[in-house]
Amino acid sequence: MKVFVYSARSYDKPALQLAAGGHALQFTEQRLKRDTAQLAAGCEAIVIFTSDDASAPVLDILHSLGVRYILLRSAGYDHVDLKRAAALSIRVANVPEYSPNSVAEQAVAMLMAVNRKLIQGQRLMQLQDFRIDSLQGFDIHGKTVGIIGTGKIGMAFARIMLGFGAKVIAYDLQVNPEAISAGIKYESLEALLRQSDVVSLHCPLTAATRHLMSETQFSWMKPGAILVNTCRGAVINTVDLIKALDSRQLGAACLDVYEFEKGLFFEDHSGDIIHDANFVRLRSFKNVLITAHQGFLTTDAIKEIAETTINNLDCWQNGVPCKNELTVKPGIETDALERKPRIVGSI
């Protein structure tokens, strides 16, 4: 089958080519959007990433070009209008379980770098300023870590925190038996935020989780707590986050995702002026660590993403049910991380 790959990068091209089998892959570094949809002319399938735009108008163009399959190189699917895809009989599948440890380990790495002031310490070292007065952190051992979303990534993060000797509590509208077995207690969102020294977000972006962390929720947090977000940027209200940092209600933030990252992350803007005032403000805080949505970027995860992506296409081509296909039913939303149907509004 002829397949067009959008947002292709040097790190995922080789893995996709190796997994391609008999499929003919064409690549572009350009993002999928209205202006670039025509590039897929003559292809039955496209492969896209989280930075791509698969909204209804774009899907209409793709359908007119003969595209019938959309393969996501991600677990998240909030950039795809699934209802419109279903109406056009365009089938969509994602990669729900690629190395959850990769994202969980990124969250831990960011947490430790911010808590132990590693970035600031390195900058002082380069200046030959060897004072450590401003580099004090706290032990994770014995602290309370709150996890919002106890899917595969959330549980991978929880196991690491338990290994550190932290007390782990969780919030999710669906109880994960694995969490209960690990001794993790579920709390209301407010109770979790009031108790936690560290809060880590691991939920999908849905209508209910958009701006889940806003002004009220920040006011519930323990003064000085650290917030970690490696799921989706829009789970946090960016303006309210800046206010919480500015007032020092929030001790620090670790962000591998950003609410307005589309068109910013995954691109080279080294010669540009960044006009996003919120991003510039966030970047100015010494207690904020931002990475450009790289939590998935390990050799293990890239290999698994490529193999699962091609396997999804093979299933459709061979008439075999695709377990990763995303479907929409009235009142139901599929959680791409868990592959379980959830009532709209759940985490």
Side-chain angles (χ1 to χ4, degrees):
M1 190 179 296
K2 293 182 68 176
V3 182
F4 198 84
V5 184
Y6 286 94
S7 298
R9 295 289 184 265
S10 59
Y11 53 77
D12 55 16
K13 280 184 185 179
L16 283 167
Q17 289 170 326
L18 188 62
H23 301 292
L25 306 186
Q26 300 176 44
F27 297 91
T28 182
E29 290 191 2
Q30 295 187 69
R31 292 187 295 118
L32 171 63
K33 50 187 178 179
R34 290 192 192 194
D35 297 342
T36 61
Q38 293 289 341
L39 295 174
C43 295
E44 292 179 73
I46 63 170
V47 180
I48 65 174
F49 193 53
T50 56
S51 54
D52 292 304
D53 176 11
S55 58
V58 177
L59 293 177
D60 289 338
I61 298 172
L62 292 170
H63 183 264
S64 71
L65 297 173
V67 173
R68 296 296 179 265
Y69 306 105
I70 296 179
L71 301 145
L72 310 184
R73 304 196 310 276
S74 62
Y77 55 90
D78 50 278
H79 54 305
V80 183
D81 189 328
L82 292 180
K83 290 183 179 178
R84 186 58 184 162
L88 295 170
S89 297
I90 295 177
R91 303 177 79 171
V92 183
N94 69 341
V95 183
E97 298 179 5
Y98 64 89
S99 184
N101 294 308
S102 64
V103 180
E105 290 173 9
Q106 172 81 5
V108 175
M110 296 183 76
L111 168 61
M112 297 310 296
V114 164
N115 177 36
R116 300 308 300 268
K117 311 292 193 301
L118 299 183
I119 306 299
Q120 295 95 312
Q122 180 63 18
R123 287 172 181 162
L124 290 173
M125 185 68 65
Q126 295 299 327
L127 295 171
Q128 298 185 174
D129 181 349
F130 306 119
R131 293 172 297 175
I132 61 173
D133 307 62
S134 62
L135 304 180
Q136 185 172 320
F138 59 81
D139 291 1
I140 298 298
H141 181 89
K143 298 299 187 295
T144 298
V145 175
I147 297 176
I148 298 178
T150 50
K152 293 186 179 297
I153 297 174
M155 284 307 302
F157 181 82
R159 285 191 293 271
I160 298 171
M161 290 295 100
L162 289 169
F164 271 72
K167 174 187 176 183
V168 178
I169 58 178
Y171 170 70
D172 196 321
L173 297 188
Q174 285 192 355
V175 173
N176 187 336
E178 184 183 349
I180 299 298
S181 297
I184 297 171
K185 182 182 178 182
Y186 281 87
E187 302 276 6
S188 68
L189 180 58
E190 181 175 354
L192 179 144
L193 294 175
R194 290 192 183 281
Q195 296 177 61
S196 299
D197 300 289
V198 175
V199 175
S200 193
L201 306 177
H202 299 285
C203 54
L205 179 62
T206 67
T209 62
R210 184 175 295 275
H211 287 183
L212 178 70
M213 294 298 298
S214 294
E215 184 176 11
T216 297
Q217 289 72 38
F218 286 123
S219 72
W220 291 340
M221 294 183 72
K222 290 177 73 170
I226 297 177
L227 179 66
V228 183
N229 186 14
T230 53
C231 59
R232 283 293 182 269
V235 172
I236 296 176
N237 182 315
T238 302
V239 173
D240 291 348
L241 170 63
I242 291 171
K243 290 178 182 177
L245 288 162
D246 218 17
S247 68
R248 300 189 178 181
Q249 167 68 14
L250 190 62
C254 308
L255 309 172
D256 185 49
V257 288
Y258 170 60
E259 185 175 5
F260 308 109
E261 69 181 54
K262 189 163 288 188
L264 180 64
F265 287 5
F266 307 112
E267 307 289 341
D268 181 4
H269 293 286
S270 57
D272 302 334
I273 295 174
I274 302 297
H275 294 287
D276 184 338
N278 288 324
F279 182 75
V280 173
R281 181 73 177 108
L282 275 177
R283 199 171 53 175
S284 72
F285 287 103
K286 290 183 179 180
N287 55 344
V288 173
L289 175 59
I290 305 174
T291 52
H293 207 141
Q294 69 181 63
F296 72 98
L297 194 57
T298 66
T299 54
D300 310 84
I302 294 299
K303 179 176 182 290
E304 192 165 346
I305 288 170
E307 291 175 352
T308 303
T309 297
I310 298 302
N311 183 66
N312 288 340
L313 184 58
D314 288 340
C315 288
W316 286 329
Q317 187 176 48
N318 298 327
V320 177
C322 177
K323 67 177 183 178
N324 299 323
E325 185 164 1
L326 300 172
T327 58
V328 177
K329 297 178 182 178
I332 297 290
E333 183 167 340
T334 302
D335 177 344
L337 293 178
E338 290 304 308
R339 314 308 306 164
K340 296 176 183 177
R342 293 185 171 189
I343 303 299
V344 170
S346 69
I347 290 178

